[in-house]
């Protein structure tokens, strides 16, 4: 496969979807072919799984069922969308991927990472991102953003406790520390434009997308 696989991760409320929107618009304006994907969902089957996973009324859902449902949705997305696009040499931009399962079900729920990795290695065929943008934000700030900007209410995952979301954030930070060559961690408390400039800078410097960047110093990576 000769395509480029880019994923976005981070605690709930960090602004991933906004940055995915910005990136897709930039690539479109630059004439660069890409495919956009999201998790859970992104396929007819995956969207039905998404409804099961995020419905706040499903309080009885077993933790193991949650892990397997996320992996099932991901397997379908790989089969229908991600793998064909990568084989075709396109850029794939995905809103969440396996790292989300490791952070949420591994660190958040406390299940062994080796088991979650094994399940997802089977489901994805071992396909891994070339770059993962981790938009880092304290859990409390992320929850506050969700409560202010989600008039329709929070989904089942977003409604989990602050302590759970704190574990998730620490999980993401640990994953990023273990794979610094793949992860690009960005302080999500910056303005939306500054965050996107940081992403553009990295894509230009690391993957030669969009030409040279004259605003490289504008980017402030999280420390």
């Amino acid at each position: 496969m000769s395509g480029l696989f880019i994923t976005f991760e981070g605690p709930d409320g960090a602004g991933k979807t906004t940055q995915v929107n910005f990136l897709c618009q930039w690539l479109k304006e630059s004439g660069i072919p890409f495919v956009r994907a999201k998790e859970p969902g992104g396929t007819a089957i995956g969207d039905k799984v998404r409804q099961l996973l995020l419905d706040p009324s499903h309080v009885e859902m077993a933790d193991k069922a949650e892990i397997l449902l996320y992996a099932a949705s991901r397997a379908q997305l790989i089969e229908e969308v991600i793998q064909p696009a990568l084989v075709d040499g396109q850029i794939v931009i995905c809103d969440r991927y396996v790292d989300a399962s490791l952070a949420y079900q591994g660190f958040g729920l406390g299940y062994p990472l080796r088991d979650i990795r094994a399940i997802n290695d089977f489901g994805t065929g071992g396909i891994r991102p070339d770059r993962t943008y981790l938009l880092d934000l304290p859990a409390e700030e992320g929850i506050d953003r969700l409560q202010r900007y989600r008039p329709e209410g929070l989904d089942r995952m977003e409604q989990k406790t602050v302590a759970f979301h704190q574990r998730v954030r620490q999980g993401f930070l640990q994953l990023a520390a273990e794979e610094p060559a793949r992860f690009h961690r960005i302080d999500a408390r910056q303005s939306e434009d500054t965050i996107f400039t940081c992403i553009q800078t990295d894509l230009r410097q690391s993957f030669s997308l969009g030409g040279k960047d004259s605003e490289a110093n504008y980017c402030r990576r999280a420390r």
Side-chain angles (χ1 to χ4, degrees):
M1 286 176 287
S2 57
L4 179 64
F5 189 15
I6 301 169
T7 60
F8 283 76
E9 299 285 4
D12 287 301
K16 294 180 295 75
T17 302
T18 297
Q19 295 304 318
V20 169
N21 289 339
F22 285 173
L23 178 54
C24 289
Q25 184 62 33
W26 179 57
L27 292 176
K28 182 178 179 180
E29 292 172 354
S30 301
I32 300 172
F34 67 92
V35 170
R36 178 173 181 169
K38 68 175 182 179
E39 287 205 357
T43 65
I45 291 173
D47 287 344
K48 291 182 179 180
V49 176
R50 180 185 180 89
Q51 292 175 4
L52 291 172
L53 281 165
L54 301 185
D55 189 333
S57 68
H58 293 327
V59 295
E60 78 282 8
M61 184 177 292
D63 292 345
K64 290 182 180 179
E66 180 178 301
I67 293 170
L68 292 168
L69 283 171
Y70 272 107
S73 174
R74 186 169 294 130
Q76 191 67 31
L77 187 64
I78 284 286
E79 183 75 17
E80 283 192 40
V81 179
I82 295 176
Q83 188 170 25
L86 292 175
V87 169
D88 194 41
Q90 297 191 66
I91 296 173
V92 176
I93 303 161
C94 195
D95 189 339
R96 294 209 184 282
Y97 192 57
V98 175
D99 295 305
S101 285
L102 295 172
Y104 280 81
Q105 286 77 50
F107 291 91
L109 294 179
Y111 278 82
L113 297 185
R114 65 177 180 276
D115 293 343
I116 297 173
R117 284 193 170 104
I119 290 167
N120 281 279
D121 282 347
F122 173 71
T124 65
I127 294 176
R128 294 169 57 80
D130 298 291
R131 169 68 81 237
T132 297
Y133 292 108
L134 173 58
L135 304 187
D136 182 40
L137 186 74
E140 297 84 353
E141 291 188 37
I143 293 171
D144 180 64
R145 287 185 184 183
L146 291 174
Q147 290 173 339
R148 284 188 286 127
Y149 299 116
R150 290 281 183 85
E152 71 277 12
L154 306 184
D155 65 36
R156 190 181 67 86
M157 298 300 295
E158 293 166 346
Q159 288 181 1
K160 290 182 180 288
T161 66
V162 173
F164 172 86
H165 288 286
Q166 289 171 335
R167 293 193 299 273
V168 168
R169 184 204 179 193
Q170 290 306 310
F172 276 126
L173 294 177
Q174 182 170 322
L175 293 171
E178 291 172 355
E179 291 190 70
R182 172 167 69 90
F183 276 88
H184 190 100
R185 179 183 164 213
I186 304 171
D187 186 346
R189 292 170 295 184
Q190 302 173 95
S191 72
E192 294 176 348
D193 288 343
T194 300
I195 292 170
F196 185 57
T197 297
C198 188
I199 293 168
Q200 283 180 304
T201 299
D202 178 64
L203 288 172
R204 285 168 169 147
Q205 294 179 345
S206 300
F207 302 103
S208 300
L209 287 182
K212 295 182 179 180
D213 185 4
S214 61
E215 300 181 65
N217 293 327
Y218 218 78
C219 168
R220 177 166 64 89
R221 294 184 65 166
R223 301 298 181 188

